[in-house]
Amino acid sequence: MRHQFYLTLILVTFLVLGVIYALVTPVFESSDELTHYPMVRHLADGNPLPVQDPQNVGPWKQEASQPPLYYYLAAALTFWIDASDMEQRLWLNPHVDSGVITPDGNVNLVIHDPTANPWQGTLLAVRLIRLASISMGAVTVYLTYQIAREVLPGRPEIALGAAAVNAFTPMFLYISGAVSNDNLVVPLASLALLLMIRVVRPEGGFGKNLAAETQRAQGALREQLRDLRASAVSLGIVIGLAILSKESALGLLPLAWGVLVIRAWQRSDGRLSLAAVFRWLWLGTVRWLGLVLLPAALIAGWWYFRNWQLYGDWLGWNAFIAVLGQRAHPASLAQLWGERWGFLLSYWGLFGGVNVPMPTWIYHVLNATLVAAVAGFVVYVMKVIRKWQVADGRWQVASSNYQLLITDHLALFFCLLWSAAVVVGLIRWATVTWSSQGRLVFTAISALDTLLVVGLVGWLPRRPATIVVSIMGGFLLVVAAVAPFAWIRPAYQPPQYTMPNGSRAIDLNFSQQMRLTQFSLEPATARPGDTVEVTLAWEVLAAMERDWSIFVHLNDPVLGAPISQRDMYPGQGLLATRLLRPGQNLVTKHVLTLPVTAVAPAELELAVGLYNYYTNKRLPITDDGDAATLAKLTLTPIPGQFPNPLAVNFEGELELVGYELKSRRLSPGDTLALVLYWRALRPLSTDYTFFAQVVDKDTTRWASHDLSPQ
């Protein structure tokens, strides 16, 4: 009873926190919510499923390629709401730094009108769907507890720990409080995993070997077979619903086949022979086809057949990628490994458009815990292996009932297998698209959290295990409770900056609409790769009918173009100029990064102005021009052995470490002298030819020179 109390406490706390996340996070700021909800709205208005067209993607964009069950359920929940204001609420921030953690804000995906009623129209519909999604997340937490109980039945502290880690992972709470089809597929996948584990567990109706079963009456055996058929059909229905929610659940189908093959083995006498193996495979496959695949196909098959008819691809990936976009070149495993930091950030908690982080030390603590869990899992597996013994060079089982020994660990094996299937599926997807986000493995979060806690404390006695689990769950609870107020809500409130000491006064009038009154550039001298901070003070002169963007350029006079720039709406992206009122004063901050490839020494010019993002038309300055040159920035070389140092690796053989241009301004007929500095990383396998080319934006080659090695 005490464990049930703690589980109830975890679930109630999760629901409370989920509601907080759902209410604190502005509408359409959760991951992909601004494309998920238009699908819901489209169906709620009685429209058929949209057909993907890369030339006319619609507000749902790539989400029209997602299986539709979640969207249909959300539409049934909100069809009665007049959401005709969706276009007004989807007031996009065109400059948002999506997927990029910035030092100067500009993280909001949309502009939020403070005059809009938060409990009416689109805003009401989104919040109702969010609340329904939280209940789906609570189901996942409960199923995580049940799965962990199946993995180690005698260790309730591990089940409670897995449920707590699941419930209080900040990113899981964040996604649970958002409009996302992940919120439906995750509990369905967890339920399917639990059903599979229970089909082969040693106690209950299943998992007994033939010797034990022959002692039962024939009627009991028939009843057991009926139970097996009912469980398999239930599993097929759940998998059908899951794959109609998201394609990441498709890996459940082969896993279910393996379960039924194992079930056939369990009902045998355990003797290993070729005929026996074929019998297990035959029985498992027949049952899988008739009891699992058939109901799953009846539920979800129409969707995949529709994809085949429309796109010639039963998964619809070609249409999805055509809208979403893809990497220029498929990523290697080494490249994906290099993206692991961002992957883990977005697993533990990277909010908004994957650009609102928690403090870095929190990620380090959680990642260290993950490493400790992996090491502990190896220790736990070694303890299991010690139940086997080696005699005459052969592995033997110390226990008299080897079927039972293996079956005891099938639940853990299925958790490993399902986690691996989801991770491998994501790796395959991420090699083609920019999808290295940890939240995309939440389909297996119940299994992952179970494995994490087993690795962390499964090899420890119960008392110290309980202490460790309590510390881990408590830490996550504190972080999850603080996140909405410390990091999420502040990210969507315009900061109140003040001008730094030493700011220079100026009076630039932009068409009687905006006036620039002060500016600051810090520092005045920088090197390639450095950041500089520009602070601007503005006064609103009149109400505006258009949304003007502030641009800040660091121009290279030789190139006649900016080498670094920062464009955003006022208020660090949160305030469209149509929302500003006459007499209002505001300060904006712009952090610009100088490219490491910038040529130094050089004198750069700081230019500032306003323009319309959608027309590229600039707002003129009353006195003259449409951009103001405010100051100069001295760009000095990076000290070192080579001028303009670089680190460009060519296939692990050569590294370009620097370059030098003898002249930066040329006339037709002049010669450009370029010196390149190379470092050999290993003995070269080929006599390479070095080339340098001067090309235009359209790749027209104006000059070139090839040089064979000396």
Side-chain angles (χ1 to χ4, degrees), residues 362-417:
I362 293 177
Y363 300 112
H364 287 313
V365 171
L366 294 173
N367 291 342
T369 303
L370 178 61
V371 172
V374 172
F377 191 82
V378 174
V379 174
Y380 176 82
V381 171
M382 294 303 295
K383 289 183 65 176
V384 173
I385 291 176
R386 280 198 293 270
K387 293 184 179 181
W388 299 70
Q389 61 184 4
V390 179
D392 300 326
R394 293 176 297 176
W395 285 99
Q396 295 181 348
V397 182
S399 170
S400 60
N401 188 343
Y402 76 92
Q403 278 186 308
L404 187 59
L405 179 62
I406 295 174
T407 303
D408 278 343
H409 299 93
L410 280 176
L412 186 65
F413 175 72
F414 287 143
C415 286
L416 274 170
L417 202 58

Side-chain angles (χ1 to χ4, degrees), residues 80-103:
W80 54 274
I81 299 174
D82 180 8
S84 57
D85 62 339
M86 186 186 75
E87 286 71 20
Q88 287 74 39
R89 302 288 78 82
L90 277 173
W91 187 352
L92 298 179
N93 173 13
H95 304 291
V96 60
D97 291 293
S98 184
V100 180
I101 299 174
T102 65

Side-chain angles (χ1 to χ4, degrees), residues 144 162 165-175 339-351 354 358 363 366-367 370 419 422-423 426 436-452 472 476:
T144 299
V165 171
N166 188 176
F168 305 140
T169 297
M171 196 65 181
F172 181 75
L173 272 164
Y174 188 72
I175 295 299
E339 297 172 7
R340 65 190 182 279
W341 173 251
F343 176 88
L344 289 171
L345 259 62
S346 59
Y347 181 90
W348 297 119
L350 187 56
F351 313 113
V354 203
M358 301 184 291
Y363 300 112
L366 294 173
N367 291 342
L370 178 61
S419 300
V422 172
V423 171
L426 178 60
S436 298
Q437 295 186 34
R439 68 179 182 87
L440 297 179
V441 300
F442 280 176
T443 310
I445 193 170
S446 293
L448 290 167
D449 286 340
T450 298
L451 294 172
L452 186 147
M472 176 68 175
L476 280 172

Side-chain angles (χ1 to χ4, degrees), residues 385-520:
I385 291 176
R386 280 198 293 270
K387 293 184 179 181
W388 299 70
Q389 61 184 4
V390 179
D392 300 326
R394 293 176 297 176
W395 285 99
Q396 295 181 348
V397 182
S399 170
S400 60
N401 188 343
Y402 76 92
Q403 278 186 308
L404 187 59
L405 179 62
I406 295 174
T407 303
D408 278 343
H409 299 93
L410 280 176
L412 186 65
F413 175 72
F414 287 143
C415 286
L416 274 170
L417 202 58
W418 175 231
S419 300
V422 172
V423 171
V424 169
L426 178 60
I427 289 174
R428 180 187 174 192
W429 182 245
T431 58
V432 179
T433 65
W434 292 99
S435 302
S436 298
Q437 295 186 34
R439 68 179 182 87
L440 297 179
V441 300
F442 280 176
T443 310
I445 193 170
S446 293
L448 290 167
D449 286 340
T450 298
L451 294 172
L452 186 147
V453 176
V454 168
L456 203 59
V457 301
W459 52 280
L460 292 172
R462 288 188 60 177
R463 185 175 294 276
T466 301
I467 295 173
V468 173
V469 164
S470 300
I471 294 173
M472 176 68 175
F475 177 77
L476 280 172
L477 174 58
V478 171
V479 172
V482 168
F485 307 104
W487 307 303
I488 297 176
R489 184 166 65 180
Y492 302 103
Q493 295 176 335
Q496 301 298 317
Y497 293 129
T498 58
M499 293 301 296
N501 294 330
S503 299
R504 295 170 56 183
I506 196 172
D507 185 6
L508 288 177
N509 189 316
F510 289 85
S511 300
Q512 300 299 322
Q513 297 187 54
M514 295 277 287
R515 175 183 287 123
L516 182 61
T517 60
Q518 294 182 76
F519 79 93
S520 170

Side-chain angles (χ1 to χ4, degrees), residues 639-657:
Q641 182 180 359
F642 306 107
N644 299 302
L646 298 170
V648 183
N649 189 310
F650 288 80
E651 295 292 338
E653 294 200 22
L654 285 167
E655 183 180 28
L656 180 62
V657 296

